[in-house]
């Protein structure tokens, strides 16, 4: 912490002493296509001098662009992707049979160090690590030879040979993936030319900029804006500044304007799109909702091209003063290894991602919107913005936009504000932008400002890296917002609903935000995470990917044979993602529809007999680019598997299962099954637990602390199989109940062993991060001192931007050094028993949950057994004589007994004299059903109304009886119907009907002789007497008795019940009216309780019924 305070004070004093020209530390892009135009101009000049110069990727022009991209840290050199390096360069890698070493390059970004440390901890713990390492390398060498001589190579999908010839394809794949596309390369060479030109001629053309500022001031004042106590100024030495013309007090408004002069989501609502008649804000609503900065970038470009190529923009003079400030190559080199360098590339990638999204279905740049036209007056022409335009606009918005707070609501929105870009950004000095109650936007100064000094303002809370890229400086003093984010695979993006939309409650999954495109987006995210996890964490490749690339090479037959393998039925047609983008089996397993690959295959292709796929020859990669791409991917997956073997990271049983299947594929050509493999299913359990750790933005190292969210994610990643199985049993799937019934305490340590591994992994990661910087803390301090002292004998000459980069590097390292102290303290607390662990407690919970699960399984089995029984009422085996086979005379429920016998005799030619004998025999076999204690009408999924009955006899379990009913009437043909949400609700309803605080006494009992010979009892209990016709109808339906006697029986029940004294009509929501009946000597409270229980009536209505009943039964009573 002291480091940071000293750094802040030193920087503040240095800033006051040093005044450098902007030359050599930054350069500007004045318009969206400046870099592109400079690149093409340079290309034409080179081509004029040498006609052989072309735009091929290996040509002189784009080779130059690639070299500059490497200098600017935009990409790695090709040499970084050589998998076969000398033994001295990688002692820990694997040696192949040719004596070279195969080693995958680490991923970009700081997260790679954390992943590597987690891998090291995951693979540690062996008693004889040296022997294991040598054995692992030997296994990897054998695997390399198996690939070169295996069935897949023999089929032509990989080059054959025992010296790792196939590795070249993987290297080609890595280099292509790291390469920049044509437009990105033009950006690089254009920025190189722009930097050189501005270093030569000056970054700022003061004369031109003063003209533009004067134009903006005229526009601003004419529009109702006002500038108070200050004036704009531009110079080559200090850039654009708003200078105080007198002393200014804190929170004084230095710039005020009506809202129409700012650019934001709200003002875009009033912009009419030319030749469309629609409003820009309405058309950009989805873009603003997706990302407010993206919406602002399109708004800016739309208005920019209206100004330069159209009839002019309302904000034209203001837009012309905006610049993209770009760091010089030398400054960027000084940032190597820092968060700022990583963030700079992320800004470029984010804007590139935006370009592809902008032309999608929800994007703003379709030909019909008319928003993204560079020539708005022309009806035809290009209707989308390219990478150069969107990069420029995104960068300008990032560096110049600010959040405005509405005083009336407290809400904030992003806006481009005139003159804000000229104010000095001073962290923690106060001030800000407000949208006042009178509709005025005010720019308020920070702490008291002296005359003649730049006006300052607090820009918002940013880390040093974000602050530096926006404003090309770092905050003076201590920045409490500094942090180093270290996200791990599986961490959920900030604000994402991926987890609960996929496997949340039924209610959550049915929200509008979880339907439609989001469902497919969620599945893509999970599939992508599974792939990235295995790449990053040194785990074997997904078997689904091996299968995908092999089938794309037509290794397993032509279209006819593949149709047999991939024949999709009606269910497949209803999947959220096309099967050419994600296999049906994988979707079915991700959605929880199928438990395993076998079940997924049965659903996807049906139960038809499967023929083992025949291995065929692969296409010629020299003639088929798509075939070569598939081969490169197969080779890279082979390297991934080989790295796992070489590192010995094979402790997980699931890892070994997948590695064996991978070996069988490459060596013997065994095609893996489609869908999720064993390791996918295991990692999905960890993804489910990571959802409790927080969002990836929360996983970070701050000054003197490692956040609980990062500690939680580390614990989950380092949990072994036995620890995971405490929370989710081995045989359970991540979305099943017994995988959710032991709560994971997200911010509590798992076990001592796990926590010590977490500490060691974080410590190793931090040491790796510190080693990745090109300088040490001490060297940074020396550079700072030399730059500040400006001594004549010093070799260090640094302007304010370069000096800020030194401070940024030093502050990042200070955070890491403080984190090491935090880990040392935490390790001591673990070892002395001060840290509580949850594993032992959760193991007991698991034991209890397993017992409950076992009981539930027995319940399900009993339900299924009972549901499968379709008992006949009675039958008699009849000897037909004359060597004829015996025939069963069967009586079904509801059928007339004598009529059944007569029909049997007619059918089989039995003489009439046997009718009475057969009837007597059949009647003797009839078993009369027990009385019931509950009848309940249920409208099932098909819309039919069925009757659930609970028998009133010893040993009957109402839950089992209800489960049997659910199983018999479920619309689903598979799964546990008794555990479905509707069945659980029905079980609850039955329990509420049976377990009541009043006595369900029998009011009427009427014996009934059914036509089929059964002796039945119609019992009317308390609460059932109010809708007798419906109740008797339900009784007849339950026992399958013909309905022609319903009214007669209902009338008989009415006669036997006590006479009605008072009737209270009750209106039921969405149902017909019911009349509550009250008789003399009734216990009114019991009658009302039973009535409201039977008809599920709200408590508030129950009181009203009680009042009406008591009032009606006692004439002359006063009712409140």
């Amino acid at each position: 912490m002291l480091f940071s305070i000293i750094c802040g004070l030193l920087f503040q004093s240095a800033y006051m002493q040093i005044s450098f020209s902007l030359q050599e530390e930054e350069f500007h892009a004045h318009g969206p296509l400046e870099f592109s135009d400079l690149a093409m101009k340079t290309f034409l000049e080179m081509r004029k001098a040498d006609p052989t110069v072309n735009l091929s990727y290996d040509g002189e022009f784009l080779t130059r662009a690639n070299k500059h991209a490497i200098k600017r840290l935009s990409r790695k050199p090709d040499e970084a992707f050589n998998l076969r390096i000398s033994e001295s360069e990688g002692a820990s890698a694997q040696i192949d049979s040719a004596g070279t070493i195969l080693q995958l390059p680490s991923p970009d970004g700081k997260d790679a160090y954390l992943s590597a440390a987690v891998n090291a901890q995951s693979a540690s713990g062996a008693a004889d690590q040296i022997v294991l390492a040598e054995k692992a390398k030997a296994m990897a060498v054998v695997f390399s030879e198996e690939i070169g001589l295996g069935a897949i190579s023999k089929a032509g999908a990989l080059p054959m040979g025992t010296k790792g010839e196939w590795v070249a394809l993987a290297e080609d794949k890595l280099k292509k993936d790291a390469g920049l596309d044509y437009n990105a390369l033009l950006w690089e060479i254009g920025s190189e030319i722009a930097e050189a030109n501005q270093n030569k001629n000056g970054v700022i053309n003061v004369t031109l900029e003063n003209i533009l500022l004067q134009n903006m001031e005229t526009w601003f004042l004419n529009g109702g804006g006002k500038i108070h106590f200050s004036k704009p100024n531009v110079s080559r030495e200090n850039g654009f500044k708003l200078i105080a013309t007198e002393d200014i007090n804190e929170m004084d408004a230095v710039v005020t304007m009506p809202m129409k002069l700012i650019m934001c989501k709200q003002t875009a609502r009033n912009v009419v799109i030319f030749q469309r008649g629609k409003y820009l804000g309405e058309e950009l609503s989805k873009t603003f909702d997706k990302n407010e900065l993206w919406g602002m970038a399109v708004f800016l470009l739309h208005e920019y091209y209206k100004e330069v190529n159209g009839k002019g923009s309302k904000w034209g003079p203001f837009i012309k003063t905006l610049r993209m400030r770009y760091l010089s190559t030398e400054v960027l080199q000084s940032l190597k290894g820092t968060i700022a360098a990583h963030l700079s590339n992320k800004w470029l990638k984010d804007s590139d991602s935006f370009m592809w999204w902008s032309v999608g279905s929800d994007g703003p740049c379709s030909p019909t919107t008319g928003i993204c036209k560079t020539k708005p007056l022309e009806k035809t022409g290009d209707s989308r913005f390219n990478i150069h335009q969107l990069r420029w606009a995104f960068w300008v918005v990032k560096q110049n936009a600010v959040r405005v707070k509405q005083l009336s609501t407290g809400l904030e929105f992003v806006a481009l504000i005139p003159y804000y870009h000229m104010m000095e950004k001073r962290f923690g000095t106060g001030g800000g932008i407000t949208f006042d109650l009178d509709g005025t936007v005010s720019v308020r100064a920070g702490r008291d400002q002296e005359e003649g000094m730049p006006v300052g303002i607090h820009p918002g809370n940013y880390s040093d890296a974000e602050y530096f890229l926006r404003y090309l400086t770092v905050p003076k003093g201590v920045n409490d917002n500094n942090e180093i984010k270290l996200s791990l695979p599986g961490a959920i993006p900030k604000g994402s609903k991926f987890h609960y939309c996929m496997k949340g409650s039924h209610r959550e999954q049915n929200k509008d935000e979880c339907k439609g495109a989001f469902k497919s987006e969620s599945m893509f995210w999970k599939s992508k995470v599974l792939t990235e996890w295995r790449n990053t964490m040194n785990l074997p490749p997904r078997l689904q990917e091996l299968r995908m690339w092999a089938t794309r090479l037509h290794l397993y037959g032509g279209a006819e044979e593949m149709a047999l393998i991939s024949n999709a039925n009606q269910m497949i047609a209803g999947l959220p993602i096309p099967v050419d983008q994600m296999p049906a089996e994988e979707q079915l397993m991700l959605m929880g529809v199928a438990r395993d690959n076998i079940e997924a295959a049965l659903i996807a292709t049906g139960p038809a007999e499967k023929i083992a796929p025949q291995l065929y020859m692969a296409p010629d990669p020299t003639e088929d680019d798509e075939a070569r791409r598939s081969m490169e991917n197969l080779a890279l997956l082979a390297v991934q598997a080989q790295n796992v073997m070489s590192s010995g990271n094979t402790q997980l049983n699931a890892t070994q299962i997948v590695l064996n299947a991978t070996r069988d594929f490459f060596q013997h050509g065994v095609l893996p099954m489609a869908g999720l493999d064993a390791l996918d299913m295991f990692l999905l359990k960890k993804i489910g637990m990571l959802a409790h750790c927080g969002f990836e933005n929360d996983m970070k190292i701050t000054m003197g602390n490692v956040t609980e969210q990062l500690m939680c994610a580390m614990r989950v990643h380092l949990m072994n199989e036995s620890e995971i199985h405490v929370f989710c049993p081995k045989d359970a799937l991540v979305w099943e109940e017994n995988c959710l019934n032991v709560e994971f305490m997200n911010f509590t340590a798992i076990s001592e062993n796990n926590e010590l591994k977490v500490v060691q992994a974080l410590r190793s990661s931090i040491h790796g991060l510190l080693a990745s910087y090109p300088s040490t803390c001490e060297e940074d301090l020396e550079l700072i001192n030399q730059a500040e002292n400006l001594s004549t004998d010093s070799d260090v000459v640094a302007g304010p931007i370069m000096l800020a980069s030194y401070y940024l590097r030093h502050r990042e390292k200070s955070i890491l050094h403080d984190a090491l102290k935090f880990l040392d303290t935490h390790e001591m607390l673990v070892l002395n028993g001060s840290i509580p662990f949850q594993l032992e407690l959760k193991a007991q919970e698991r034991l209890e949950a397993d017992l409950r699960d076992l009981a539930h399984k027995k319940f399900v089995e009993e339900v299924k057994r009972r549901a499968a029984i379709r008992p006949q009422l009675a039958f008699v085996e009849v000897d037909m004589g004359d060597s004829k086979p015996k025939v069963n005379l069967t009586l079904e429920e509801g059928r007339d007994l004598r009529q059944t016998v007569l029909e049997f005799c007619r059918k089989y030619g039995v003489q009439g004299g046997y009718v009475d004998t057969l009837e007597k025999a059949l009647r003797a076999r009839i078993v009369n059903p027990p009385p019931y204690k509950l009848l309940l009408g249920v409208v099932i999924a098909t819309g039919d109304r069925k009757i659930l009955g609970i028998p009133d006899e010893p040993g009957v379990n109402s839950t089992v009886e209800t489960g049997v009913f659910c199983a018999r009437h479920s619309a689903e043909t598979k799964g546990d119907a008794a555990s479905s949400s509707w069945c659980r609700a029905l079980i609850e309803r039955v329990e509420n009907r049976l377990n009541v605080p009043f006595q369900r006494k029998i009011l009427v009992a009427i014996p009934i002789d059914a036509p089929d010979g059964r002796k039945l009892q119609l019992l009317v209990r308390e609460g059932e007497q109010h809708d007798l016709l419906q109740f008797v109808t339900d009784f007849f339906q339950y026992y399958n008795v013909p309905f022609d006697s319903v009214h007669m029986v209902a009338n008989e029940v009415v006669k036997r019940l006590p006479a009605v004294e008072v009737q209270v009509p009750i209106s039921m929501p969405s149902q017909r009216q019911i009349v509550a009946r009250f008789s003399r000597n009734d216990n009114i409270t019991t009658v009302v309780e039973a009535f409201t229980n039977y008809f599920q009536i709200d408590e508030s209505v129950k009181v009203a019924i009680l009042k009406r009943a008591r009032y009606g039964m006692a004439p002359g009573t006063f009712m409140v």
Side-chain angles (χ1 to χ4, degrees), residues 730-789:
K730 178 180 179 181
D731 297 328
L733 300 181
V734 67
W735 48 80
E736 292 181 336
E737 183 67 29
N738 57 342
C739 197
L740 306 172
N741 53 17
V742 173
E743 181 186 6
F744 171 53
M745 299 162 64
N746 51 355
F747 297 148
T748 302
I750 306 295
S751 64
E752 180 177 317
N753 180 57
N754 177 271
E755 196 71 1
L756 290 175
K757 282 189 172 185
V758 168
V759 170
Q760 187 53 45
L762 279 167
R763 187 180 284 137
S764 300
S765 172
I766 290 171
H767 284 304
L769 286 168
L770 288 169
S772 70
Y773 291 99
S775 60
T776 64
C777 253
E778 293 72 21
E779 289 169 341
D780 285 340
L781 280 176
E782 180 63 25
L783 287 171
I784 291 168
N785 288 330
Q786 291 184 35
E788 288 175 345
N789 293 333

Side-chain angles (χ1 to χ4, degrees), residues 121-170:
Q121 287 301 310
S122 298
S124 67
D128 193 353
Q129 198 68 33
I130 297 175
V131 175
L132 284 176
E134 292 302 320
K135 182 179 178 182
K137 288 182 181 180
M139 288 173 59
V141 170
V142 172
F143 182 63
S144 176
E145 293 174 351
E146 290 173 349
I147 293 172
L149 299 176
I152 297 300
S153 293
K154 289 177 180 177
L158 292 175
M160 289 191 66
T162 60
K163 298 183 178 180
E165 290 85 351
W166 53 273
V167 178
L169 283 173

Side-chain angles (χ1 to χ4, degrees), residues 596-826:
D596 51 36
N597 307 73
I598 297 173
E599 190 172 345
L602 284 172
I603 296 171
T605 62
E609 183 180 352
K610 302 297 186 297
I611 302 170
Q614 172 68 46
L615 197 61
Y616 291 86
M617 290 301 294
D620 187 345
T622 61
E623 300 175 352
D624 187 342
D625 291 338
E626 211 36 56
R628 181 173 179 83
R629 177 169 167 262
S630 298
M631 292 176 183
E632 289 172 350
N633 278 284
L634 276 181
L636 194 59
L637 294 174
V639 173
Q640 185 179 340
Q642 195 175 24
N643 268 262
V644 177
M645 291 184 184
S646 174
S647 66
N649 188 21
T650 58
Q651 284 75 19
L652 294 175
N653 291 328
T655 301
Q656 295 173 4
I657 292 170
V658 172
L659 275 178
N660 289 338
T662 303
R663 185 190 295 273
D664 288 342
F665 169 75
F666 283 108
Q667 186 176 4
H668 305 296
V670 179
L671 182 66
M673 290 194 70
L676 304 176
D677 57 45
L679 191 51
D680 284 332
M681 300 303 285
F682 178 74
L683 295 181
L684 279 174
K685 294 179 181 180
K686 287 197 172 187
I687 291 174
M689 297 181 74
L690 282 171
H692 298 282
C693 293
F695 296 112
E696 61 182 3
N697 283 20
D698 302 321
M699 296 174 188
K700 54 196 175 187
I701 298 173
T702 57
M703 186 59 70
N705 186 39
V706 177
T707 64
E708 289 183 324
Q709 291 85 352
L710 179 56
M711 292 292 287
C712 173
M714 291 288 291
R715 290 168 185 142
V716 172
H717 267 270
L718 287 167
M719 288 172 73
N720 57 37
E721 282 176 305
S722 62
E723 289 169 336
I724 286 288
H725 293 158
V726 167
F727 296 91
C728 183
K730 178 180 179 181
D731 297 328
L733 300 181
V734 67
W735 48 80
E736 292 181 336
E737 183 67 29
N738 57 342
C739 197
L740 306 172
N741 53 17
V742 173
E743 181 186 6
F744 171 53
M745 299 162 64
N746 51 355
F747 297 148
T748 302
I750 306 295
S751 64
E752 180 177 317
N753 180 57
N754 177 271
E755 196 71 1
L756 290 175
K757 282 189 172 185
V758 168
V759 170
Q760 187 53 45
L762 279 167
R763 187 180 284 137
S764 300
S765 172
I766 290 171
H767 284 304
L769 286 168
L770 288 169
S772 70
Y773 291 99
S775 60
T776 64
C777 253
E778 293 72 21
E779 289 169 341
D780 285 340
L781 280 176
E782 180 63 25
L783 287 171
I784 291 168
N785 288 330
Q786 291 184 35
E788 288 175 345
N789 293 333
L790 294 177
S791 57
T792 54
D793 59 343
S794 172
D795 295 330
V796 179
V797 179
I801 299 177
M802 184 66 83
L803 180 59
S805 75
Y806 297 158
Y807 274 102
L808 186 146
R809 287 188 333 216
H810 187 270
R811 288 180 180 181
E812 282 190 16
K813 293 166 194 168
S814 298
I815 292 175
L816 295 173
H817 282 295
D818 276 8
L820 287 174
K821 295 175 184 176
F822 168 85
L823 291 174
D824 290 342
T825 303
H826 188 73

